[in-house]
Amino acid sequence: MTSFVAIGRSGEIIYDNGIRVSQHSQQLMPQIYDALAAVGCSCSELDAIAIGTGPGSFTALRVGMATVKGLAVSAGLPVIARSSLQSEMKLARQRLAKGVSTDVSEEIVILATDARRSEVFVHMSWPSNSQLDGKECAIQPTDLIATLISSINPWLQSIKSKHTIVRLIGSGIALYDDQLQEAVSTQRAAGMFSEYDIIIESPADEPSASQTDPTSRGQDNIAVGLYDLIYDQATRAGVSMTSLACDSLATLVPTYIRLPDIRG
């Protein structure tokens, strides 16, 4: 499991780091202090703290949430929370924009990560569709294609959309690549893709920052995606990033999407 930390200033990442961890409760705080030391500031000098709320490991989410709340209270800082999948999608769209020659801004992008229990966590990004953009769920890979068709087809038919591309990306896609390819072939044989194409991309196929820009950093750091996501949202709204903070830490809880698998 990887723990990600990043520090940004005025829309630019000035530090990012990801380390393999086995004990979040013991390793997260040293990682944070190392990041602060690297840029020469203390926690109290920050404007805000941001956190990805999940989904993810039950223990890691709870440790991360408790750590951020403790730092926020002790330093008097606001906390900005966003979906971890949404943050990862931000990174994915940035990689696509750099590595694909065509305009991908209006493509439907489906991010899937391994949720275990033979399921994937899914985040849908479709900027022109407010009903489906940002939709998240946990689903079995064998049901993913049929569910996408049932969600996407009615909308495309109602707006008589031009031909649309749907990209499936992420670690969950690579994990169940064979099953997904078979499901797509079955649906294509049934004539279901007259309105759009399904492109299944494994992480090896996806353009990475190192392939397109050797000086890029944080290409897989979800904390970088989180910062960029919040900065872009604030910029579009014409407000400061701190204005997007949670109203109350008491209501800030992890996003599990499904009930955690906890055994006594």
Side-chain angles (χ1 to χ4, degrees), residues 83-99:
S83 158
S84 300
L85 292 178
Q86 190 179 12
S87 303
E88 192 166 349
M89 177 63 79
K90 180 65 175 178
L91 284 179
R93 279 207 172 268
Q94 289 173 339
R95 286 196 297 265
L96 286 172
K98 290 180 179 180

Side-chain angles (χ1 to χ4, degrees), residues 111-161:
L111 171 74
T113 63
D114 183 20
R116 308 208 175 174
R117 302 191 211 170
S118 299
E119 290 184 333
V120 291
F121 290 127
V122 172
H123 179 96
M124 177 182 289
S125 173
W126 191 356
S128 62
N129 186 331
S130 60
Q131 292 180 319
L132 296 178
D133 188 42
K135 183 177 181 180
E136 296 183 349
C137 66
I139 191 172
Q140 292 187 345
T142 51
D143 297 331
L144 177 56
I145 301 301
T147 299
L148 291 179
I149 290 173
S150 65
S151 299
I152 295 171
N153 271 357
W155 180 263
L156 290 179
Q157 292 171 4
S158 68
I159 63 174
K160 295 180 173 54
S161 173

Side-chain angles (χ1 to χ4, degrees), residues 158-230:
S158 68
I159 63 174
K160 295 180 173 54
S161 173
K162 62 183 180 180
H163 195 80
T164 302
I165 293 176
V166 181
R167 291 184 187 270
L168 304 183
I169 63 175
S171 60
I173 299 301
L175 189 61
Y176 298 101
D177 181 74
D178 291 343
Q179 296 179 38
L180 292 169
Q181 294 285 2
E182 182 178 355
V184 168
S185 296
T186 299
Q187 295 293 344
R188 183 170 282 124
M192 294 303 297
F193 294 136
S194 59
E195 298 293 334
Y196 55 93
D197 285 332
I198 297 280
I199 299 176
I200 298 178
E201 298 184 348
S202 69
D205 296 326
E206 297 169 23
S208 68
S210 61
Q211 293 172 324
T212 56
D213 181 2
T215 64
S216 294
R217 301 177 65 205
Q219 61 188 30
D220 298 314
N221 188 332
I222 298 175
V224 172
L226 176 62
Y227 177 85
D228 289 345
L229 172 68
I230 296 169

